[in-house]
């Protein structure tokens, strides 16, 4: 095997070992933890040059066949540190205690010839001479050691990824492109209502994709209303057919599922439709639908299991309620619907259901869109309210009862006030829970290999290279602690992770200024800080906030309301009015926000906004003519037009 | 707009007024007034040869961007109506379109904008004269009001912002009598019916006319969208052709006649075969360019120089003409992009320099724009040809992708022409020189990236930007395939 590590730390490169190998090294294999006395050289002729040559061959053989060899002395504290390091990495080592073998001194001499290093510990990883204790720790810190360890072929795979969603698949494909042997395990545990889906994870199956398509269907309903004002003539009351839409959307999703399988096959990634669970270090158990178990090993692992919707834990919730896992493939129109929660999932679903003409109520415990700018969140909510969505605020459900079976059936919901003792009752066809999501990290054997999770949230803490506390185990996607739960983030971090692990890249995923858009009936796009967060970080007096209401040109003739769409930027006065928060509420907010996010990456300032020419007539151009500051208190309502 | 803004000082004429200031265009005038100056705006719309006229606000508001984008929207809605059944809406197809209803709605909106502009001028105490004015000397303009009263206005500073008007091919028999232009199309009370556009530039009108269901033919002498990236332009045409607009390329019209039944018969020559051909249409719309509205201004009396070729006014980087206190902004100026926001900003900056103590000059580089053809085309910065011309093929890297908007999938729409390309310098960090985007909402997509390019964005920085999923604009931050690599730029998966 030819190997030429560019950063080979020691002069004693062992790459030419195979040609010289001749004999065996007997009795040398000592498993970590060490302690057993071993004898390296065979008895017989000694002190001859022949014997010396034989010893040399044996040492090289040992190095050749071992993943890690540590030439150590049992009393040496440096040696102990190195052994502990490998043990913490969960890596098995061959340890040779030179003070406990008969010919330790001669071994050390020969080693010094091979490596030009006279001292112990003396460490080889996958035939590469790493050096002594300091060099080993340096290599560990720079990531080189991990790279050397990956070269191991003792495992079935270089990389096993648990979870075939956005993050897992992007990591798998990139690792495969870099020539690694990769396996993806993906298994969808059916929802309590029995819904299950194909490869691709939440985004494709029960997230962004069907959500945006249903949102589009609702926008088309609005467009149909508008179109009459623009001269299109039809008289009949236009009705919406849930089944037609859902079937079309599910067809599209199936084609995406198929596309993912195909692209994994093309890149020679092994895809296994089984549930993955760690059983010991470097080893997982894969259980398929039929309950058959298979075991696989890998040098490295990526956990990308994502999240699933949370249930309330009240009587009747799992039996009768649905979640976003079920909604997009629901075979019947949900009818009168209660949406529980105020997350973006809740508001988006409530928004498009109302757009189809359904009677929709949203039950909110406290605030809307937690974590988002609250001024924007309230505007999102009030637009929905003006467009027929009912809000029940400061209530939580306590019981769900089935009144009638059917498609849909009838459910009675009992809810109580979060502030007093008041209770209310309502009858709905469908109750959709969207109160948050839980990480799928508690049933994948992480405790078996000691991967730490946040016990409360179930999230996995990682360092800035997505590495867990167990060095060969990484994590990407929604299960990361304190990271945005967004598809493009997962894709980016998965891809960059693979490049760092197997390519020459050092590029880390940048989680700053990640833009996002909430596809509520009036879309809300943002990038950077919310007003609340900006005030917390920079203090109010150091900020200048520019804002305006605006009226999209297309809305004028359509007779839609003025003074509803809203744009706001938050600038840091003491950093040349740098834009630290960008918020827009209006049509096509996602399309508008993306470019501004790129500009924020390049240090966007208010001055640059002022200097840039608008594209006329668009919504995006409103940001090039922002003049009124919030602190001025001036009126931002648009009186005329233009 | 046929507006000339003057700030006045008393002269001998019948109308006396004194001021220190002047401005161009409605917004500039308002701005100057805000800065405490005495300002007047002189605006007069010469009726088109077909007799169309309109109110205050200039081309953009009356016969440009605004009515165009609204009619474009009407056509887009027609496309959405066709999509709707795929998304579960039970609309019986086909849905007919009523031109009159649309035109009335659009015109009402434009009229409300005219009114808004007048109110705005009033609020800011800008004097507005609806007269046709021309120079008497370098500080004085003169016009005749409706009643025949002559008005003399004099000012310290005068800004010419008279814009341009569509060009007629006067050498073609019948062109003036029977043809209309963009000055008329938005104000037609009745549907233009089967239309015929001899055009080099304005594909937008043909696009929305096709979109509302009219039989539309475009005649092109040479290349479309001159000055724009040619690959993108040809894709715009390709898309239109595949959506029902007819194209007659390499043909030149020779005459237009009215048939006894009222329709128009157009005769043209096919330049390649040399053969003559004829066709019958309801409407002929000329869109062969615009001429600046400078001839009636008596510029020579003030000593303002114009380009002998284009008749446009020559200015320096401060927008000053050959007469230092006379300025010009907007479409009437030689070598400027003919775009509303450019004119607005140039006017605003000029006024701030004149009266606000500013020294900021207008930056005409990297002006973003969008063509509202049925598939919109947004761009900022250099075209691929221009980048290669400036930097050499070897030093330019072009990243590109064919993508499919998510909404197109369920609607079963063809996305062959949905395409994005980013023109960069090849040398790291690969400065972005230009961005070209063909797809829905191109204007909205392009605006933010224009900022990025203004900030000096590199390819690497754009790639480090996280996408917004699922949008069309995220395709820009996912561009990985270079043209040089020869790899297939079709985006697959999500």
């Amino acid at each position: 095997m030819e190997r030429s590590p560019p950063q080979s730390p020691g002069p004693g490169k062992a790459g030419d070992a195979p040609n010289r190998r001749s004999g065996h090294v007997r009795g040398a294999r000592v498993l970590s933890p060490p302690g057993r006395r071993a004898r390296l050289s065979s008895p017989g002729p000694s002190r001859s040059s022949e014997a010396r040559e034989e010893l040399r061959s044996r040492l090289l053989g040992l190095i050749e066949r071992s993943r890690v060899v540590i030439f150590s002395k049992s009393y040496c504290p440096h040696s102990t540190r190195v052994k502990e390091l490998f043990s913490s990495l969960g890596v098995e080592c061959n340890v040779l205690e030179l003070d406990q073998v008969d010919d330790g001194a001669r071994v050390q001499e020969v080693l010094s010839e091979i490596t030009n290093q006279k001292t112990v510990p003396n460490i080889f990883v996958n035939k590469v001479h790493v050096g002594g204790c300091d060099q080993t720790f340096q290599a560990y810190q720079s990531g080189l050691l991990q790279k050397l360890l990956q070269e191991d072929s003792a495992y079935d795979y270089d990389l096993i990824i648990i979870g075939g969603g956005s993050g897992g698949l992007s990591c798998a494909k990139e690792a495969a492109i870099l020539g690694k042997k990769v396996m993806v395990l993906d298994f969808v545990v059916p929802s309590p209502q029995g819904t299950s889906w194909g490869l691709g994870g939440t985004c494709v199956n029960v997230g962004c994709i069907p959500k945006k398509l249903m949102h589009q269907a609702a926008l088309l309903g609005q467009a149909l209303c508008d179109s009459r004002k623009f001269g299109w003539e039809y008289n009949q009351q236009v009705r919406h057919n849930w089944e037609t839409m859902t079937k079309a959307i599910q067809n599209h999703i199936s084609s995406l599922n198929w596309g993912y399988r195909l692209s994994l096959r093309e890149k020679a990634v092994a895809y296994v439709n089984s549930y993955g669970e760690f059983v010991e270090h470097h080893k997982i158990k894969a259980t398929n639908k039929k309950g058959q178990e298979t075991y696989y090993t890998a040098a490295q692992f990526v956990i990308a299991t994502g999240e699933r919707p949370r249930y309330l834990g009240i009587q009747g919730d799992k039996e009768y309620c649905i979640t976003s896992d079920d909604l997009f493939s629901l075979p019947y129109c949900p009818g009168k619907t209660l949406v529980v929660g105020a997350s973006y999932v809740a508001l988006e679903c409530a928004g498009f259901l109302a757009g189809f003409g359904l009677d929709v109520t949203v039950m909110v415990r406290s605030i809307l869109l937690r974590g988002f700018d609250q001024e924007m969140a309230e505007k999102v909510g009030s637009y929905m309210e003006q467009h027929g969505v009912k809000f029940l605020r400061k209530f939580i459900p306590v019981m769900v009862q089935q009144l009638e079976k059917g498609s849909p059936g009838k459910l009675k919901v009992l809810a109580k006030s979060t502030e007093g003792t008041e209770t209310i009752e309502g009858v709905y066809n469908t109750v959709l829970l969207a109160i948050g999501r839980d990480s799928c990290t508690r049933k994948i054997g992480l405790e078996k290999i000691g991967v730490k999770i946040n016990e409360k949230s179930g999230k996995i803490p990682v360092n800035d290279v997505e590495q867990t506390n167990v060095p060969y185990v990484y994590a990407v996607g929604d299960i990361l602690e304190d990271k945005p739960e967004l598809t493009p983030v997962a894709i980016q971090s998965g891809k960059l992770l693979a490049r760092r692990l197997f390519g020459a890249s050092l590029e880390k995923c940048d989680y700053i200024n990640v833009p996002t858009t909430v596809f509520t009936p009036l879309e809300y796009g943002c990038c950077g800080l919310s007003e609340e967060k900006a005030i917390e970080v920079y203090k109010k007096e150091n900020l200048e906030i520019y804002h305006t209401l605006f009226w999209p040109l297309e809305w004028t003739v359509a007779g839609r309301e003025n003074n509803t769409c809203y744009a706001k930027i938050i600038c840091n006065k003491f950093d040349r009015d740098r834009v630290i928060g960008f918020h827009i509420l209006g049509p096509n907010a996602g399309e508008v926000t993306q470019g501004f996010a790129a500009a924020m990456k390049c240090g966007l300032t208010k001055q640059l906004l002022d200097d840039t020419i608008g594209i006329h007539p668009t919504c995006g151009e409103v940001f090039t003519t922002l003049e009124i500051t919030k602190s001025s208190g001036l009126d931002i309502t648009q009186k005329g037009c233009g | 707009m046929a507006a000339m803004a003057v700030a006045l000082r008393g002269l001998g004429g019948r109308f006396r007024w004194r001021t220190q200031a002047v401005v161009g265009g409605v917004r500039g005038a308002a701005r100057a007034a805000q800065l405490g100056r005495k300002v007047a705006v002189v605006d007069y719309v010469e009726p088109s040869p077909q007799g169309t006229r309109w109110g205050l606000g200039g081309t953009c508001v009356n016969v440009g961007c605004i009515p165009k984008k609204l009619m474009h929207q009407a056509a887009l809605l027609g496309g959405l109506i066709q999509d709707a059944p795929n998304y579960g809406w039970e609309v019986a197809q086909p849905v007919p379109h009523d031109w009159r209803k649309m035109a009335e709605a659009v015109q009402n909106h434009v009229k409300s904008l005219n009114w808004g502009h007048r109110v705005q001028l009033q609020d800011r105490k800008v004097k507005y004269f609806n007269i046709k004015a021309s120079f008497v000397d370098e500080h004085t303009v003169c016009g005749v009001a409706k009643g025949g009263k002559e008005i003399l206005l004099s000012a310290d500073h005068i800004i010419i912002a008279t814009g341009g008007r569509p060009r007629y091919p006067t050498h073609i028999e019948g062109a003036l009598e029977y043809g209309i232009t963009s000055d008329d199309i938005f104000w037609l009370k009745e549907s233009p019916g089967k239309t015929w556009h001899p055009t080099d530039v304005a594909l937008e009108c043909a696009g929305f006319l096709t979109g509302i269901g009219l039989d539309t033919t475009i005649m092109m002498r040479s290349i479309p969208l001159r000055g724009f990236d040619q690959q993108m332009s040809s894709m715009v045409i390709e898309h239109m052709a595949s959506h029902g607009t007819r194209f007659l390329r390499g043909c030149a019209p020779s005459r237009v006649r009215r048939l006894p039944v009222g329709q128009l018969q157009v005769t043209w020559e096919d330049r390649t075969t040399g053969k003559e051909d004829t066709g019958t249409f309801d409407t002929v719309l000329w869109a062969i360019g615009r001429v600046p509205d400078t001839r009636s201004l008596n510029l020579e009396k003030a000593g303002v120089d114009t380009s002998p070729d284009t008749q446009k006014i020559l200015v320096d980087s401060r927008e000053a003409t050959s007469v230092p206190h006379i300025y010009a902004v907007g479409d009437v100026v030689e070598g400027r992009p003919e775009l509303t926001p450019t004119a607005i900003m140039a006017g605003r900056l000029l006024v701030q320099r004149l009266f606000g103590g500013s020294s900021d000059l207008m930056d005409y580089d990297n002006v973003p724009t969008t063509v509202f053809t049925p598939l919109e085309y947004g761009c900022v910065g250099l075209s691929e040809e221009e980048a290669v011309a400036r930097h050499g093929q070897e030093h330019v890297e072009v990243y590109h992708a064919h993508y499919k908007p998510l909404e197109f999938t369920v609607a079963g729409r063809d996305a062959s022409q949905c395409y994005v390309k980013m023109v960069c310098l090849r040398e790291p960090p690969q400065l972005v020189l230009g961005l070209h985007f063909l797809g829905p909402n191109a204007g909205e997509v392009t605006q933010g990236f224009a900022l990025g390019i203004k900030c000096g964005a590199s390819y690497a920085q754009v790639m480090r930007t996280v996408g917004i999923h699922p949008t069309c604009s995220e395709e820009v931050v996912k561009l990985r395939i270079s043209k040089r690599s020869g790899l297939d730029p079709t985006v697959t998966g999500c």
Side-chain angles (χ1 to χ4, degrees):
Chain A
M1 181 175 173
E2 189 61 35
R3 183 204 313 277
S4 55
Q7 318 95 320
S8 179
K13 210 177 95 179
D16 40 357
N19 303 331
R20 298 182 175 190
R21 208 180 93 193
S22 54
H24 296 280
V25 182
R26 280 175 292 162
R29 191 169 173 87
V30 181
L31 292 188
S32 179
R36 258 174 51 202
R37 189 178 176 93
R39 190 184 143 88
L40 184 68
S41 64
S42 59
S46 63
R47 291 180 202 284
S48 67
S49 66
E50 195 182 310
R52 199 178 179 83
E53 201 47 49
E54 193 206 342
L55 177 58
R56 187 188 175 92
S57 305
R58 286 176 186 173
L59 284 177
L60 291 173
L62 176 65
I63 292 163
E64 167 73 10
R65 281 178 286 105
S66 311
R67 187 160 176 237
V68 178
V69 193
I70 304 173
F71 296 97
S72 158
K73 284 183 180 168
S74 59
Y75 52 79
C76 165
H78 301 295
S79 300
T80 308
R81 278 186 65 206
V82 171
K83 284 179 251 174
E84 283 167 0
L85 172 66
F86 282 103
S87 157
S88 77
L89 295 175
V91 174
E92 271 184 21
C93 307
N94 272 352
V95 179
L96 195 70
E97 303 288 8
L98 298 188
D99 60 328
Q100 293 175 355
V101 293
D102 296 342
D103 43 7
R106 281 175 56 220
V107 171
Q108 204 165 349
E109 270 173 47
V110 174
L111 267 181
S112 132
E113 281 171 26
I114 298 173
T115 64
N116 214 15
Q117 176 188 329
K118 290 188 178 119
T119 54
V120 290
N122 196 338
I123 293 105
F124 289 83
V125 175
N126 276 323
K127 295 160 274 197
V128 175
H129 179 233
V130 176
C133 174
D134 288 350
Q135 284 123 316
T136 305
F137 271 88
Q138 270 166 24
Y140 169 58
Q141 268 140 24
S142 73
L144 173 67
L145 188 66
Q146 291 84 330
K147 275 195 182 180
L148 288 174
L149 284 168
Q150 281 161 29
E151 304 291 343
D152 196 316
S153 57
Y155 296 114
D156 303 338
Y157 290 90
D158 295 312
L159 178 67
I160 290 181
I161 293 163
I162 308 178
S166 308
L169 291 179
S170 81
C171 188
K173 285 183 223 168
E174 197 68 19
I177 289 169
L178 292 164
K180 295 295 153 184
K181 198 176 169 198
V182 184
M183 167 176 276
V184 171
L185 289 167
D186 186 60
F187 187 85
V188 179
V189 178
S191 75
Q193 294 297 319
T195 312
S196 141
W197 51 86
L199 184 62
T202 301
C203 166
V204 171
N205 294 286
V206 290
C208 321
I209 299 295
K211 174 264 302 277
K212 180 99 191 269
L213 287 170
M214 291 202 175
H215 171 63
Q216 175 69 8
L219 289 183
L220 286 175
Q222 176 74 59
L224 287 171
C225 292
D226 288 0
S227 70
R228 290 192 169 113
K229 300 263 176 48
F230 279 89
W232 296 98
E233 292 189 314
Y234 52 94
N235 300 318
Q236 84 275 28
Q237 193 66 26
V238 179
R239 289 191 13 195
H240 186 259
N241 185 318
W242 173 273
E243 289 82 359
T244 308
M245 170 190 71
T246 310
K247 205 173 152 208
I249 291 174
Q250 288 304 318
N251 281 343
H252 176 62
I253 291 173
S254 301
S255 77
L256 291 178
N257 295 147
W258 175 246
Y260 283 125
R261 292 190 68 155
L262 211 63
S263 92
L264 287 185
R265 199 178 306 161
E266 275 168 8
K267 297 195 166 65
V269 173
Y271 161 62
V272 178
N273 185 204
S274 294
Y275 188 87
E277 207 177 336
F278 284 98
V279 286
E280 60 184 72
H281 273 296
H282 292 282
K283 191 171 185 179
I284 56 155
K285 178 173 81 179
T287 311
N288 72 8
K289 224 184 271 178
K290 294 175 191 153
Q292 289 164 337
E293 294 173 357
T294 318
Y295 293 85
Y296 301 101
T297 62
Q300 319 226 29
F301 288 82
V302 172
I303 305 168
T305 46
E307 298 184 318
R308 296 292 290 271
R310 185 177 299 155
Y311 279 81
L312 286 161
I314 59 168
Q315 192 192 324
D317 67 345
K318 286 200 174 164
E319 295 95 309
Y320 307 123
C321 298
I322 64 166
T323 68
S324 57
D325 277 358
D326 311 297
L327 178 67
F328 302 111
S329 58
L330 205 64
Y332 53 86
C333 179
K336 184 182 175 188
T337 302
L338 174 71
V339 178
V340 181
S343 62
Y344 74 87
V345 180
L347 298 190
E348 288 174 338
C349 292
F352 65 68
L353 292 175
F356 304 147
L358 302 182
D359 180 337
V360 180
T361 306
V362 182
M363 187 178 286
V364 181
R365 193 184 55 185
S366 58
I367 60 169
L368 304 180
L369 296 176
R370 188 177 298 279
F372 286 91
D373 187 289
Q374 281 304 297
E375 182 188 21
M376 303 305 286
E378 280 305 317
K379 283 177 185 288
V380 166
S382 77
Y383 181 86
M384 289 175 67
E385 212 157 358
Q386 282 160 27
H387 287 76
V389 178
K390 285 168 269 185
F391 281 84
L392 278 172
R393 298 187 78 151
K394 300 201 188 306
F395 274 96
I396 48 169
V398 287
M399 190 177 70
V400 180
Q401 252 180 351
Q402 190 174 54
L403 300 179
E404 265 176 43
K405 284 193 173 183
S407 308
K410 250 187 202 165
L411 302 170
K412 187 169 87 175
V413 180
L414 187 67
K416 74 170 172 41
S417 163
T418 57
E419 292 179 319
T421 52
E422 191 192 346
T423 60
I424 47 170
E425 233 180 62
V427 176
Y428 303 92
N429 296 117
T430 298
V431 177
L432 175 77
L433 302 181
I435 52 167
R437 299 173 64 82
D438 290 321
S439 299
C440 305
T441 52
R442 297 185 201 270
K443 288 175 187 162
I444 51 171
L446 292 180
E447 66 291 347
K448 297 246 172 69
I449 56 166
V451 173
K452 279 193 193 119
I453 63 171
N454 178 325
E455 276 310 325
K456 201 158 159 261
S457 66
K459 298 241 178 190
I460 301 183
V462 293
N463 59 18
D464 64 349
V465 288
E466 283 85 27
Q467 190 177 33
T468 69
N469 67 306
V470 175
Y472 68 89
V473 179
Y474 297 80
V476 295
D478 294 356
I479 52 171
L480 297 189
E481 191 171 50
D482 300 328
K483 298 286 189 322
E485 296 178 14
L486 296 166
T487 293
V489 173
I491 292 175
Q492 182 103 331
S493 68
K495 186 184 290 179
L496 294 178
L497 172 61
R499 286 187 192 164
R500 286 194 308 273
L501 289 177
F502 306 118
S505 166
L506 292 171
E507 192 185 339
K508 293 172 188 170
C509 186
D510 182 356
Y511 293 99
I512 308 288
N513 285 344
V514 172
T516 188
T517 294
V518 183
F519 292 100
T520 34
L522 195 56
E523 299 176 10
Y524 164 39
C526 61
C527 183
L529 302 182
S530 66
E531 194 172 331
E532 294 81 8
K533 189 76 188 168
I535 289 170
E536 185 191 317
V537 175
Y538 293 97
K539 303 280 173 289
K540 193 165 188 171
E541 58 273 23
N542 299 331
L543 301 175
E544 196 71 272
I545 296 165
Y546 295 85
H547 66 160
T548 190
L549 292 161
F550 65 97
W551 200 17
L553 178 63
E554 296 75 12
W555 285 30
T556 57
V557 167
R560 285 157 77 175
E561 55 274 66
N562 196 353
N563 294 315
T564 300
C565 298
Y566 180 69
K568 165 164 98 172
I569 58 165
I570 303 163
C571 301
N572 179 358
K573 274 199 260 185
F574 294 100
D575 187 8
R576 298 173 301 121
D577 266 337
R578 197 162 58 81
V579 178
I580 54 172
F582 174 98
H583 304 270
I584 181 168
L585 189 67
N588 300 305
E591 307 294 0
V592 174
T593 306
Q594 183 71 76
F596 287 95
M600 283 175 75
K601 272 266 179 287
C602 309
L604 181 62
T605 62
K606 177 68 170 71
Q607 182 66 48
L608 277 160
L609 280 171
D610 293 345
D611 291 349
T612 299
I613 292 174
I615 299 179
H616 192 57
T618 63
C619 295
E621 69 176 325
V622 71
F623 286 97
T624 64
T625 55
L626 287 174
E627 283 183 346
I628 299 180
T629 63
K630 238 186 186 181
S631 57
S632 74
L634 290 173
D635 185 16
I636 53 166
T637 54
Q638 306 284 307
K639 282 175 204 81
C641 349
Chain B
M1 96 177 46
M4 188 155 48
V6 289
L8 311 163
R9 81 198 140 106
L11 254 204
R14 268 167 232 148
F15 188 89
R16 283 166 182 259
W17 206 21
R18 175 160 184 87
T19 172
Q20 314 115 314
V22 183
V23 195
V26 172
R27 304 220 190 175
R31 188 83 189 177
Q34 268 183 326
L35 292 166
R37 302 296 158 156
K38 195 171 170 190
V39 185
V41 170
V42 183
D43 184 61
Y44 180 80
V45 180
E46 187 78 43
S48 78
Q50 299 302 326
T52 310
R53 54 196 306 165
W54 51 87
L56 185 63
T59 302
C60 164
V61 169
N62 294 286
V63 289
C65 321
I66 299 293
K68 167 195 76 187
K69 178 105 192 263
L70 287 170
M71 293 199 179
H72 169 64
Q73 175 70 7
L76 290 183
L77 287 169
L80 296 179
I81 291 172
Q82 287 174 25
D83 287 356
N86 292 316
Y87 281 90
W89 294 100
E90 296 173 337
V91 197
Q93 310 275 348
V95 175
H97 185 263
D98 180 352
W99 172 277
R100 272 187 291 187
K101 197 165 174 196
M102 171 189 72
E104 198 189 329
V106 170
Q107 288 157 17
N108 282 342
H109 178 65
V110 169
K111 284 175 188 161
S112 78
L113 291 179
N114 296 146
W115 177 249
H117 280 307
R118 290 191 70 153
V119 170
Q120 201 184 8
L121 289 182
Q122 226 161 12
D123 285 352
R124 309 254 164 108
K125 307 226 172 354
V126 175
K127 186 79 185 159
Y128 164 61
F129 295 95
N130 184 208
I131 56 172
K132 186 177 181 182
S134 57
F135 280 94
V136 175
D137 62 41
E138 59 176 41
H139 278 291
T140 315
V141 297
C142 158
V144 179
K146 264 187 193 146
K149 192 172 75 166
E150 189 173 80
I151 297 177
L152 274 180
L153 304 170
S154 76
D156 293 337
H157 303 279
I158 299 177
I159 299 174
I160 304 166
T162 49
R165 296 292 289 270
R167 183 193 302 276
Y168 266 93
T170 41
H171 61 282
I172 296 173
E173 183 194 326
L176 198 60
E177 289 152 86
Y178 305 123
I180 65 164
T181 67
S182 60
D183 276 358
D184 310 296
I185 183 84
F186 306 111
W187 294 89
L188 292 182
K189 299 258 183 297
E190 300 294 333
S191 167
K194 183 179 176 190
T195 61
W196 183 78
H197 307 235
T199 176
D200 273 354
V201 284
L203 299 168
E204 297 172 326
C205 289
F208 70 69
L209 293 175
T210 309
I212 57 172
L214 302 182
D215 181 341
T216 309
T217 304
I218 290 183
M219 177 171 292
M220 285 192 303
R221 211 174 44 187
S222 55
I223 57 168
L225 294 173
R226 193 181 295 276
F228 285 92
D229 186 283
Q230 280 308 301
Q231 182 194 8
M232 305 304 287
S233 305
S234 54
M235 291 174 86
V236 166
I237 300 291
E238 217 176 88
H239 179 268
M240 287 179 71
S242 68
H243 286 73
T245 306
R246 287 174 223 263
F247 284 88
L248 286 169
R249 308 184 78 152
C251 296
S254 47
R255 66 181 175 274
V256 183
R257 278 193 188 139
R258 187 179 288 283
L259 297 174
V261 285
Q263 285 190 308
L264 300 173
Q265 186 190 56
V266 182
T267 308
W268 63 85
E269 185 196 343
D270 188 323
R271 288 274 169 102
T272 46
T273 61
K275 276 188 196 153
E276 261 201 357
D277 209 343
T278 60
T280 309
F281 303 89
D282 297 310
T283 300
V284 172
L285 182 113
W286 302 106
I288 55 168
R290 298 174 69 81
V291 284
D293 222 351
T294 51
R295 277 173 220 208
S296 60
L297 290 174
N298 281 338
L299 289 176
E300 61 288 350
K301 288 214 176 149
V304 173
D305 291 344
T306 55
S307 155
D309 298 334
T310 61
Q311 272 76 51
K312 287 192 173 187
I313 296 172
L314 302 169
V315 299
D316 62 14
S317 62
R318 297 170 302 120
E319 329 292 353
T321 65
S322 52
V323 181
H325 67 271
I326 301 179
Y327 304 84
V329 294
D331 296 0
V332 76
V333 180
E334 174 76 8
R336 299 286 194 242
E338 296 186 2
L339 295 169
T340 297
T342 324
I344 291 177
M345 186 177 285
R348 199 186 68 188
L349 289 175
L350 172 58
V351 166
Q352 277 168 352
R353 285 196 301 273
L354 290 177
F355 312 119
S358 152
S359 58
D360 289 350
L361 292 177
M362 175 74 185
D363 176 6
Y364 287 98
D365 280 340
N366 293 328
V367 173
T369 187
T370 294
V371 184
F372 292 101
T373 36
L375 197 61
E376 299 175 10
Y377 165 38
C379 63
V380 56
L382 302 185
S383 66
E384 190 175 342
E385 296 84 14
E386 183 63 24
V388 167
R390 283 197 202 176
H391 301 280
Q393 187 85 53
E394 270 317 290
H395 300 288
V396 172
E397 192 80 280
V398 178
Y399 294 92
H400 65 157
H402 279 285
Y403 66 98
K404 186 159 197 172
L406 176 64
E407 295 76 12
F408 278 30
T409 57
V410 166
R413 289 206 200 188
D414 174 32
S416 311
Q417 285 90 21
C418 291
Y419 179 73
V420 54
K421 81 174 170 184
M422 191 153 70
V423 183
C424 309
L425 280 179
R426 197 174 174 192
E427 198 169 301
Q430 301 193 296
L431 201 71
V432 179
L433 302 173
L435 177 70
H436 303 269
F437 182 94
L438 195 54
N441 300 305
E444 307 295 2
V445 172
T446 310
Q447 183 70 75
F449 288 103
L451 259 307
I453 290 180
K454 194 114 188 158
C455 300
S458 66
Y459 172 72
Q461 278 171 316
V462 176
M463 289 311 109
R464 272 203 293 277
T465 306
V466 175
I468 299 179
H469 191 61
T471 61
C472 295
S473 55
E474 69 175 324
E475 302 300 339
V476 177
V477 303
K478 295 190 327 195
L479 286 170
R480 301 283 169 189
I481 306 283
S482 71
K483 273 197 174 173
R484 186 170 270 114
S485 74
L487 295 172
D488 179 10
T490 307
V491 175
T492 52
C494 106

